Amino acid sequence: MTSRPTIPYQASTFVDASRDLLGDGLLGVYLHGSIATRELQPQSDLDLLLVTATPLSARNKAEFLVKLMALSAVHPTGPGAPRCLDVLAVHADDLTAPTYPGRSEFIYGEWLRAGFERGDALVPVIDPVVTLILAQAYHEARAIYGPPLSRLMSPIERQVVDRALLDSLQPLLDNLIGDERNVLLTLARMWRTSVEGDFVGKDVAAEWAGDRSPLPVAEVLRKCGRAYRGEYSENWQGDHALALTAASYLREELLKNLAADPEMNTWTGPAL
């Protein structure tokens, strides 16, 4: 029998905090992403999905923000340190009667911390990325509180996933410079999903995409995969052109597979 992975203390603490804040309004808390698929890497975030029975009030969100900023580690983390939390909160009605793009009560991630420290609040997010997160979570999420996620939502149809991949592409590419590794690995995952219809870890996607790419792109992707696994410390200074070349190739393959409008193939990337 395969043993179940231990629930990280940050996840257990988050469950306790959510129960204290919501009481019967909490329907479920789920681990998803790399920890659910046992592909957790040294710098991986701890991905959590929160499902609520009712929409969250402004007070609820303010209380959650205080808890999350205290519980989540600040990026980057060191070996053996607590992890950065990536939390998606969803009202149950948005799972049983979903709209497109997907809607969430809030998203918390360390890339947003600076804004929160300036006084930004947790707010609803309507975005195709929410659709993709939920589509992946349906297949891999592990309940740490509440019923299996499949009892609260239906699988998201393939054509909706494809639309979300297409609609989330440009915002992702706009963040290439300064976040090269994450953007390239995400593009590799998106290409893989568009072909196979599944969701895999970023380093697995890098190997898959590298096997189907010309050598310069494959080398960049494998470097990203090694860095993701903590085996390599990358430095993109002077290599922005390589990142741009790889991003352009992955984008073209993704659009080709989604049979997207050829006019979308005009992206030339940010100025270097």
Side-chain angles (χ1 to χ4, degrees):
M1 178 181 295
T2 302
S3 61
R4 293 172 62 86
T6 302
I7 298 174
Y9 84 89
Q10 285 171 286
S12 299
T13 302
F14 178 73
V15 169
D16 293 340
S18 299
R19 295 178 68 181
D20 289 342
L21 292 177
L22 299 180
D24 293 339
L26 176 65
L27 293 183
V29 179
Y30 304 87
L31 292 171
H32 66 102
S34 55
I35 188 168
T37 57
R38 303 195 183 198
E39 297 169 334
L40 200 64
Q41 303 297 334
Q43 290 294 323
S44 295
D45 291 350
L46 186 60
D47 294 300
L48 292 158
L49 173 64
L50 172 76
V51 181
T52 67
T54 58
L56 295 179
S57 66
R59 178 178 177 178
N60 289 149
K61 292 172 186 174
E63 292 170 333
F64 266 112
L65 182 56
V66 171
K67 298 283 189 182
L68 287 167
M69 290 187 72
L71 183 59
S72 179
V74 177
H75 181 81
T77 61
R83 292 187 180 270
C84 300
L85 299 187
D86 195 334
V87 180
L88 177 70
V90 183
H91 177 211
D93 285 357
D94 291 320
L95 295 179
T96 56
T99 57
Y100 183 83
R103 183 188 185 281
S104 65
E105 292 292 294
F106 69 77
I107 290 177
Y108 178 89
E110 281 304 305
W111 72 93
L112 300 169
R113 180 180 283 269
F116 294 141
E117 290 175 341
R118 291 193 299 266
D120 292 352
L122 292 173
V123 296
V125 176
I126 299 174
D127 194 283
V129 172
V130 174
T131 299
L132 294 175
I133 293 172
L134 293 176
Q136 181 175 358
Y138 176 84
H139 294 285
E140 69 185 22
R142 182 163 67 89
I144 54 176
Y145 179 84
L149 184 60
S150 59
R151 295 186 189 174
L152 301 178
M153 69 175 289
S154 300
I156 296 175
E157 296 179 353
R158 175 66 183 269
Q159 60 265 35
V160 177
V161 171
D162 286 350
R163 181 180 177 186
L165 290 170
L166 189 60
D167 290 346
S168 60
L169 179 57
Q170 189 60 51
L172 177 67
L173 290 166
D174 289 342
N175 292 317
L176 176 64
I177 302 305
D179 195 18
E180 290 86 354
R181 185 220 302 174
N182 181 59
V183 170
L184 292 174
L185 290 177
T186 301
L187 285 169
R189 290 181 70 185
M190 292 167 70
W191 181 19
R192 161 75 184 229
T193 298
S194 75
V195 173
E196 304 291 349
D198 59 2
F199 295 89
V200 298
K202 289 181 178 178
D203 55 337
V204 174
E207 289 295 327
W208 181 93
D211 290 343
R212 292 158 177 79
S213 301
L215 184 58
V217 175
E219 289 179 345
V220 170
L221 289 173
R222 291 183 176 122
K223 180 175 73 172
C224 289
R226 288 173 56 208
Y228 178 72
R229 293 190 296 271
E231 301 168 358
Y232 172 78
S233 180
E234 81 264 55
N235 183 350
W236 292 94
Q237 289 299 116
D239 284 342
H240 294 316
L242 288 175
L244 179 57
T245 297
S248 297
Y249 178 82
L250 294 170
R251 176 184 181 278
E252 181 180 345
E253 292 301 309
L254 175 60
L255 290 175
K256 186 188 305 180
N257 199 61
L258 293 174
D261 186 340
E263 292 185 2
M264 293 190 65
N265 284 299
T266 58
W267 182 74
T268 58
L272 300 178

